[in-house]
Amino acid sequence: MLRPRPVRLREVADTAGVHPATASRALNPATRARVSEDTARRVLRAAEDLGYRPNPIARSLKTARSHTVGLVVPDLTNPYFPPIVRGIESALEPAGYHAWIVDTHNDPRRERAQVESLRSRHIDGLIVATALRDHPHLRALHADGVPMVLVNRRVDGLDVPCVTPDDVSGITLAVAHLAGLGHTRVAFVGGPATTSTGAARARAFRHAVRDLGLADDPALLTEAPRWSEAAGTHALRALLDAAAACTAVVAASDLLALGCYDALAERGLRCPADVSVVGFNDMPFLARLRPALTTVRVPHHEVGAEAARMLFDCMADPARPARSLLLPVSLVVRGSTAPPRPGR
C-alpha cells in the first residue's frame, strides 16, 4: 500500500485562509505570539483537521537552529536529577525546544562520546550537570564556542554560566540545627572533592563548626569517592571504625545520608536515638523513610528552569558576559534528628 502524502504547510495555510509564513509562525510555539489569538486558533485547528505534522529538519535548514538542547547528567538513577530535568523541560517546551538527555554513568570517556553524538545532531546548546573542578573536555567545548550552562556544579576558572544551590548556606543551616539540639561532636560525610559541590560543602562544614564552637576534630571528617549510597556507607563505616565518637552526622547529599543509615544499622546504632543524621538535596520520598530524613531542600525544578532560561540568553547573545545564579535553600526538619542522649 502507498503511504499517504504528507500534508504541506501551504495546505494548512490555504485552509486557514492565511499566508504560509503566518501559518508557520502560528505553528511554532516560539513565534506564536507574533500572530493574533484568532489566527493562531484557525491555523492550529486546520493543522489538526488535516493531520499536519511539522518537519523539524526543514525548519532547521531555514533557521539554522535545530530547536534541540543536549542535557548531560552523570547518573539518571540518582533521584536528584529527574526533578531538575522536569524544570528544564518546563522552560524549553513553551519556546518550542526539546531536550536530548544523555547519561554519562560518571565515565569521562562515555561523556565525551555522548556529547560528540549530541553535537552531530546539531543541538543548539548544552546544559551540563557533570562538571568536575578540572574538566578539560568542557574547557574544549567552551573554546569551540558551544553555548553551555552548568547546573549544580562549576569548573574552576572557567567563565561559563551556571546555576547552583547555595551550598554554604545549606550546610550552615544543617550544622546550626544540630548545635541547637545540643550536639557538640558532629561528623561530616563529604562528597568527592573533585567536584565543586563536594569542595564547597566540606569547606562550609569546617567554617560552621568553628563559628559555632563545636569540636573541630579532623577525625570527624571523611570523604566519599562518589555521590552514592554505597559510598556513604563505606565512608561512615571507616569513620566509626577509627573510633571517632560522634552524636550526629551531616552528609553532603541525601544518597550519602542513606548510606549513613546503613552504616549505623550495621553497628546496632539507632537514628536519631544514638546518632542524628542530616542530608542535603531533599530528594523525592525522603519523608517516607523511617526515620524520615532531615535535609536541606534544594529547589530542583527552579534550578532546571533557570538553567534553560540562561541557555536561551547564551544562544541569543553569545558575547553576553557569563553570570552565575545562586538559588536559596532551606532546612526541612524531620525525624532523623533529636537531642543527644545524656552523657554522650
Side-chain angles (χ1 to χ4, degrees), residues 7-9 12 27 46-55 59:
V7 177
R8 295 188 176 91
L9 176 64
V12 175
L27 291 168
E48 183 177 358
D49 291 344
L50 294 171
Y52 173 75
R53 296 292 179 270
N55 185 337
R59 178 181 294 174

Side-chain angles (χ1 to χ4, degrees), residues 139-204:
R139 292 183 186 280
L141 292 172
H142 179 59
D144 283 348
V146 176
M148 179 169 49
V149 171
L150 306 183
V151 64
N152 196 50
R153 301 180 186 175
R154 305 167 185 260
V155 177
D156 289 352
L158 183 61
D159 193 24
V160 170
C162 63
V163 182
T164 60
D166 190 342
D167 294 319
V168 173
S169 175
I171 292 295
T172 303
L173 286 170
V175 177
H177 168 65
L178 293 170
L181 291 173
H183 294 276
T184 59
R185 289 188 61 82
V186 180
F188 181 68
V189 175
T194 54
T195 64
S196 62
T197 306
R201 293 178 187 178
R203 186 167 54 248

Side-chain angles (χ1 to χ4, degrees), residues 9-333:
L9 176 64
R10 179 171 292 280
E11 296 173 67
V12 175
D14 290 343
T15 302
V18 299
H19 191 275
T22 302
S24 177
R25 285 192 288 270
L27 291 168
N28 184 351
T31 57
R32 189 169 297 153
R34 293 164 58 185
V35 302
S36 70
E37 290 185 10
D38 179 65
T39 299
R41 279 196 298 269
R42 292 205 323 271
V43 172
L44 291 170
R45 187 181 305 114
E48 183 177 358
D49 291 344
L50 294 171
Y52 173 75
R53 296 292 179 270
N55 185 337
I57 297 176
R59 178 181 294 174
S60 67
L61 290 174
K62 289 182 179 180
T63 64
R65 288 277 179 93
S66 66
H67 286 82
T68 58
V69 166
L71 174 53
V72 186
V73 298
D75 180 8
L76 265 179
T77 65
N78 184 335
Y80 177 73
F81 290 107
I84 292 178
V85 173
R86 285 282 184 90
I88 291 170
E89 291 179 332
S90 74
L92 292 181
E93 288 175 2
Y97 277 77
H98 300 281
W100 289 95
I101 304 172
V102 296
D103 183 344
T104 70
H105 301 177
N106 284 299
D107 181 341
R109 287 179 297 182
R110 178 180 172 86
E111 176 188 288
R112 185 178 292 274
Q114 295 277 36
V115 169
E116 290 310 309
S117 174
L118 290 172
R119 295 184 71 187
S120 72
R121 298 173 185 270
H122 304 288
I123 55 165
D124 296 327
L126 285 171
I127 298 175
V128 182
T130 59
L132 301 176
R133 294 175 64 190
D134 181 21
H135 209 125
H137 186 212
L138 294 187
R139 292 183 186 280
L141 292 172
H142 179 59
D144 283 348
V146 176
M148 179 169 49
V149 171
L150 306 183
V151 64
N152 196 50
R153 301 180 186 175
R154 305 167 185 260
V155 177
D156 289 352
L158 183 61
D159 193 24
V160 170
C162 63
V163 182
T164 60
D166 190 342
D167 294 319
V168 173
S169 175
I171 292 295
T172 303
L173 286 170
V175 177
H177 168 65
L178 293 170
L181 291 173
H183 294 276
T184 59
R185 289 188 61 82
V186 180
F188 181 68
V189 175
T194 54
T195 64
S196 62
T197 306
R201 293 178 187 178
R203 186 167 54 248
F205 177 83
R206 292 192 297 269
H207 286 310
V209 163
R210 293 166 189 163
D211 291 346
L212 292 166
L214 307 185
D216 186 9
D217 184 353
L220 294 174
L221 305 177
T222 185
E223 178 186 327
R226 292 173 301 282
W227 297 99
S228 69
E229 182 175 348
T233 301
H234 180 79
L236 184 58
R237 185 189 294 147
L239 189 147
L240 296 174
D241 286 344
C246 64
T247 61
V249 178
V250 172
S253 78
D254 291 336
L255 283 179
L256 294 176
L258 295 185
C260 292
Y261 273 26
D262 297 336
L264 294 175
E266 289 176 358
R267 298 298 195 280
L269 297 171
R270 297 166 299 162
C271 176
D274 297 311
V275 179
S276 291
V277 177
V278 181
F280 199 116
N281 289 331
D282 196 27
M283 300 184 316
F285 309 116
L286 291 182
R288 298 186 181 183
L289 293 176
R290 291 296 177 267
L293 182 64
T294 294
T295 187
V296 176
R297 174 171 290 165
V298 171
H300 306 93
H301 191 276
E302 188 178 355
V303 167
E306 290 291 351
R309 295 184 192 112
M310 199 175 282
L311 184 62
F312 287 147
D313 291 341
C314 293
M315 294 188 301
D317 182 7
R320 181 189 181 107
R323 63 188 181 96
S324 298
L325 185 61
L326 198 66
L327 294 182
V329 298
S330 57
L331 185 70
V332 182
V333 178

